[in-house]
Amino acid sequence: MTNTDNKGFVRPVEVYRETPYGLYMSRTADNPKFDHLEVWLLPALGLRANIFHFVGGHRAGQRLYLDIGRFGGPDPDGRWHSVDWYLDLVDVPGTPLELIDVDELFEAHAAGFLTTAEATEATEIAARALVGAAEHGQIQTWLDEQVGEPLTWKDS
C-alpha cells in the first residue's frame, strides 16, 4: 500500500483497486498545490488519468490531467509501473480537451529519451483521446466507454 514516484519518494496509499482494465489509486499528497491525488492507470489506452485535489485556487476548474505513456502491471511481484512519454491532456469541463507539452515530447526524442516508435505511439494515443473526447462531448464519457463501465473516483 505504497506509491513510489519518479523521484523515489515513497508515500502511503489509502486505496488501491485493481480491475480487468487498470488500477485505481487514492492517496494524500504533501504538495503545496494539492492535498490529495487520485489516479487510474489504463494500460490498454496508454493513459494515466489523474485528479489532483487542488487547494487555494490552483488550477481552478481542472478535472482530469491525463499523462500519455506506457502503464502496466501487475508484474510478478504485484507491482504496477508507469513510464510517462511527456505528452499530456488537460480536461477543464466546458472547454475542449487540451494537448500540452508537445515541445517536451520533441525535446525528449531529440535527446534520446524516447524512440521514434514511442514518440509516434504517444502522438497516436493523444489523437485517439482528443477525437474520443470530441465525439463524446467530454473525455470522461469516452474513458468510461473504452473500459466498459464508469471509472469511479473518490467523490463519485
Side-chain angles (χ1 to χ4, degrees):
M1 296 292 289
T2 62
N3 170 236
T4 306
D5 71 13
N6 59 348
K7 296 176 183 115
F9 292 106
V10 178
R11 294 182 176 88
V13 170
E14 292 176 354
V15 176
Y16 272 127
R17 186 169 62 247
E18 204 170 324
T19 69
Y21 51 81
L23 177 73
Y24 171 80
M25 178 197 73
S26 177
R27 69 168 175 82
T28 58
D30 52 355
N31 188 295
K33 295 180 182 177
F34 60 95
D35 60 8
H36 199 91
L37 173 64
E38 295 180 80
V39 176
W40 268 104
L41 298 181
L42 302 167
L45 300 178
L47 295 171
R48 177 176 52 214
N50 308 278
I51 292 181
F52 296 93
H53 294 265
F54 290 105
V55 296
H58 293 280
R59 295 193 189 186
Q62 177 180 304
R63 177 147 194 293
L64 293 177
Y65 189 97
L66 297 117
D67 298 294
I68 294 170
R70 182 171 293 132
F71 310 103
D75 67 14
D77 295 321
R79 291 178 281 201
W80 286 68
H81 300 273
S82 298
V83 179
D84 190 317
W85 285 343
Y86 301 93
L87 281 182
D88 300 299
L89 299 161
V90 178
D91 171 45
V92 176
T95 66
L97 189 62
E98 181 183 6
L99 175 66
I100 63 170
D101 300 332
V102 175
D103 58 330
E104 290 183 17
L105 174 76
F106 286 126
E107 290 168 8
H109 179 263
F113 296 131
L114 286 178
T115 66
T116 299
E118 290 168 330
T120 300
E121 187 176 351
T123 305
E124 292 168 349
I125 291 166
R128 269 193 305 277
L130 286 163
V131 168
E135 289 177 347
H136 288 77
Q138 62 175 341
I139 190 65
Q140 184 70 57
T141 304
W142 179 77
L143 290 170
D144 293 348
E145 181 181 277
Q146 296 306 297
V147 302
E149 65 184 36
L151 289 176
T152 56
W153 302 92
K154 181 179 175 202
D155 295 328
S156 61

